[in-house]
Amino acid sequence: MVLLGPPASGKGTQAELIQKRFGIPATSTGAILRREAKCGTPVGVAANKIISRGGLAPDGLILELVGEWLEKIGDSFLFDGFPRTVAQAEQFELLLNNRSTGLELVIFLEISDGTIRARMLRRLTCSNCGKVISIGRHVGDEGDPCPNCGGKLEARADDTDTALERRMLEYREKTLPVTDFYKRRGILARVDADRGAESVFNDVSRLIIE
Ligand code: AMP
């Protein structure tokens, strides 16, 4: 499965809920890149410059990371935030064909621009375990420790007005066409994500069970 949607549409939250309820191994290409950046690997340092400006990492690099992750797991998987370009979707299809497998479901989380900004302002990430935290949902205040590991919570470097503007531009130009790609394949389902995580998850669960 794949979860698609604009920044702060709740892809990470839904991926975590799906993984917990259905046991489907999940990964986020954004989280992999942030981990690489934190470890200071050459890939991470280069990617960090792009991410903090709100741009997209190169397709080749993303496909390499995805291929490495797929090697470690079986035929049941969930991607959050990948593919983000039509080129990624095409190359992903080839990669899966070579493994004699394919995608069954692509869920498109739809959300209004106003909600995106409001959610972004409430979003923090744990500097220790990487968990994505929402003020009001997981913690009461930005000074609170991570409820998962006690680590320090920080705002993401790309959750700024300037970076968000660029991320939205990239999203509209490069990621929205990916929804048409999967619509043509007959596996795209839309979910209204302008609601609380539990309501969204009810609809997402129904789609998975169907
Ligand atoms: P996310 O955590 O999904 O919001 O991703 C954070 C950032 O990582 C994005 O704004 C991009 O800079 C980069 N990124 C994540 N996934 C991809 C991808 N599939 N293709 C290109 N860049 C990506």
Side-chain angles (χ1 to χ4, degrees), residues 29-30 33-34 51 55-57 62 81-82 84 88 156 158:
T29 40
L33 292 173
R34 279 189 291 277
I51 294 175
L56 288 182
I62 295 291
F82 168 85
R84 262 178 155 102
Q88 288 180 17
R156 268 171 51 164
D158 57 348

Side-chain angles (χ1 to χ4, degrees), residues 7-8 115-124 155 158-161 163-164 167:
T115 310
I116 292 175
R117 234 188 92 68
R119 282 197 190 160
M120 189 195 82
L121 292 173
R122 290 202 306 267
R123 181 159 73 176
L124 300 170
D158 57 348
D159 274 348
T160 61
D161 282 332
L164 181 67
R167 285 159 73 198

Side-chain angles (χ1 to χ4, degrees), residues 86-161:
V86 172
Q88 288 180 17
E90 287 167 349
Q91 287 171 50
F92 187 37
E93 196 168 60
L94 287 177
L95 189 81
L96 294 179
N97 282 346
N98 289 339
R99 289 167 56 106
S100 304
T101 180
L103 278 181
E104 282 180 13
L105 179 62
V106 175
I107 297 182
F108 178 30
L109 299 176
E110 290 184 297
I111 184 177
S112 67
D113 286 4
T115 310
I116 292 175
R117 234 188 92 68
R119 282 197 190 160
M120 189 195 82
L121 292 173
R122 290 202 306 267
R123 181 159 73 176
L124 300 170
T125 305
C126 177
S127 57
N128 183 47
C129 71
K131 188 173 166 61
V132 180
I133 302 292
S134 177
I135 300 170
R137 176 171 155 82
H138 302 103
V139 295
D141 187 88
E142 63 185 301
D144 290 349
C146 170
N148 191 39
C149 73
K152 187 172 165 0
L153 300 179
E154 294 171 340
R156 268 171 51 164
D158 57 348
D159 274 348
T160 61
D161 282 332

